[in-house]
Amino acid sequence: MTPDLRPSEQSFRTHWLSLFVGLFIMLTGTFYPPLLTNRSGEVDHTLLMLFFWSMSAGFVNGVGFIPRFPILKMLFSGWACLGALAASVLIKFSY
């Protein structure tokens, strides 16, 4: 007997809020790059990392993909998207 290699019977559904956050960050970073800089005009790498993590988690969670590996599942969840976005907003407005 061979093992069943089909994906589990999970219902993949679109998470519109996460997808919207990912698209919003992508378009905002594309059309207004000064948002990702600090007061002196230099790139703020911590802010950039948090924005891009939130964008990536928003896309992965938004299209309904659920990673199998537990750490990746946690890093690309909707809560990770929200947490990274909140941390980036706090960093941006703390200057």
Side-chain angles (χ1 to χ4, degrees), residues 11-88:
S11 62
F12 295 104
R13 62 185 184 121
T14 304
H15 298 270
W16 291 105
L17 184 59
S18 295
L19 189 59
F20 176 73
V21 168
L23 286 170
F24 180 76
I25 292 171
M26 179 188 69
L27 292 174
T28 304
T30 301
F31 292 115
Y32 191 65
L35 180 70
L36 304 173
T37 60
N38 56 18
R39 284 189 179 178
S40 63
E42 299 170 343
V43 176
D44 187 351
H45 292 284
T46 305
L47 177 67
L48 198 62
M49 179 194 67
L50 288 169
F51 263 124
F52 286 160
W53 177 23
S54 179
M55 180 182 71
S56 300
F59 283 142
V60 169
N61 187 43
V63 298
F65 180 74
I66 302 169
R68 291 184 185 179
F69 193 60
I71 293 174
L72 291 178
K73 189 182 287 190
M74 185 177 65
L75 288 175
F76 293 118
S77 68
W79 290 108
C81 176
L82 178 67
L85 182 63
S88 61

